[in-house]
Amino acid sequence: MRDEIQVQSLSGLQVQGSPTFQQTGSGNTQIGYIGQQINHITMGGMPQVIRPANPNYEYYNLFVIDQEQMDSLVAIPRKQALNEYTDQEIRKVYALPGLVAAEEIKRLPSLFVIRNQYGNHTAPDQRAGYGYIVDIVQKSDTVIVTASISHVIRQEKLNLLEQELLLLSAPENNELACVHWAIKRVNLPQLIQEKKLIETMDML
C-alpha cells in the first residue's frame, strides 16, 4: 500500500444530509448541536465533551502519539495512518482518499495513547484517554485530529489487554510503542466495562 490514505469504495457507508448548527443558552452556559453530533459545551474554563448521537461500537480508533502529554490536537504522519496495523478489510471501508469516510470514523469510540516508554510496558502513572474525534483534517503529510477526551485509563491496563484490543505484539513490544493510527474491530465500551478500566462509565 502506498503512503497516502486510500483504498477502494465506501462499501455501503452513508452520511446523510449536510451539517447544521443550532445554539441555545445564556450566561456562561451554551449548548450547541451540529448535524448528528451532540455537543455539551460549558464555557468559563470547563472542558468541552463531544460525543456522536449515534456511535458505532463495532470498531474503535487507536491513536498512538509521541509527545510529552495528551492534548486535544493529535498529529499522525500520513504514512502511519491506517496502514499495516489496520486489517485490509477495514481499510477498504475507512481508508478512503481524501478522508471521504471521516464522518463515519467520527462515530467510532477512540483511544488516545502516548506511546509506551518501555516496549510493551510504560510508566505506572501514564494515562491514556478515551473519547471521540471532533474533527479530522489532512495537511500535507500529516493527519490532524481534534479529540474530545471524556475519561482516562491507566495505560498499563491496556498493555495487559493486547489480545482483547487486537494489538500487534512481540515478546517485548506491542503497537502502543509505535506512533500510528489504526482502526480495530472491537467493541471498546463493552471491553472497558467488562475489564473495569474506567470507574465512572457514563457516556461511553
Side-chain angles (χ1 to χ4, degrees):
M1 184 172 179
R2 296 183 315 196
D3 286 346
E4 63 264 24
I5 298 178
Q6 57 174 270
V7 181
Q8 305 174 8
S9 65
L10 194 51
S11 209
L13 294 178
Q14 296 180 356
V15 179
Q16 308 212 358
S18 58
T20 59
F21 179 74
Q22 299 174 356
Q23 187 170 7
T24 60
S26 62
N28 286 335
T29 301
Q30 298 290 320
I31 299 175
Y33 179 79
I34 301 177
Q36 295 182 343
Q37 289 187 337
I38 298 174
N39 302 334
H40 301 282
I41 304 173
T42 304
M43 308 301 286
M46 295 298 288
Q48 174 179 322
V49 176
I50 298 180
R51 177 182 181 272
N54 55 344
N56 176 358
Y57 296 141
E58 186 175 0
Y59 303 92
Y60 79 94
N61 289 296
L62 172 62
F63 294 94
V64 183
I65 57 177
D66 187 10
Q67 58 190 52
E68 290 186 5
Q69 61 185 15
M70 190 61 64
D71 196 297
S72 60
L73 290 180
V74 174
I76 298 288
R78 201 167 87 177
K79 65 183 180 181
Q80 292 168 281
L82 303 182
N83 57 14
E84 67 268 16
Y85 292 103
T86 301
D87 286 347
Q88 178 66 28
E89 291 305 307
I90 298 175
R91 293 205 302 263
K92 288 178 181 179
V93 176
Y94 291 109
L96 300 170
L99 295 171
V100 170
E103 292 305 312
E104 290 295 326
I105 290 170
K106 290 185 208 176
R107 294 178 55 215
L108 310 180
S110 300
L111 283 178
F112 303 95
V113 178
I114 296 173
R115 70 183 182 89
N116 284 342
Q117 297 180 26
Y118 316 114
N120 59 1
H121 293 287
T122 195
D125 61 345
Q126 187 164 328
R127 298 291 188 267
Y130 171 91
Y132 288 87
I133 297 170
V134 178
D135 193 24
I136 180 169
V137 296
Q138 190 172 288
K139 290 188 176 180
S140 186
D141 292 329
T142 306
V143 177
I144 300 175
V145 169
T146 304
S148 174
I149 297 174
S150 57
H151 300 78
V152 294
I153 300 172
R154 194 163 65 87
Q155 193 158 313
E156 269 301 273
K157 292 184 176 181
L158 301 179
N159 283 312
L160 297 174
L161 297 172
E162 292 175 343
Q163 293 184 347
E164 292 89 341
L165 290 166
L166 299 185
L167 302 180
L168 297 182
S169 62
E172 297 184 0
N173 204 355
N174 69 32
E175 66 177 277
L176 297 188
C178 306
V179 173
H180 69 287
W181 165 27
I183 295 178
K184 308 286 187 178
R185 191 168 191 170
V186 173
N187 185 325
L188 182 59
Q190 179 178 312
L191 181 64
I192 287 173
Q193 291 178 352
E194 288 176 353
K195 301 299 181 179
K196 297 179 171 55
L197 301 181
I198 295 174
E199 291 184 9
T200 304
M201 296 179 290
D202 58 315
M203 286 187 64
L204 287 181

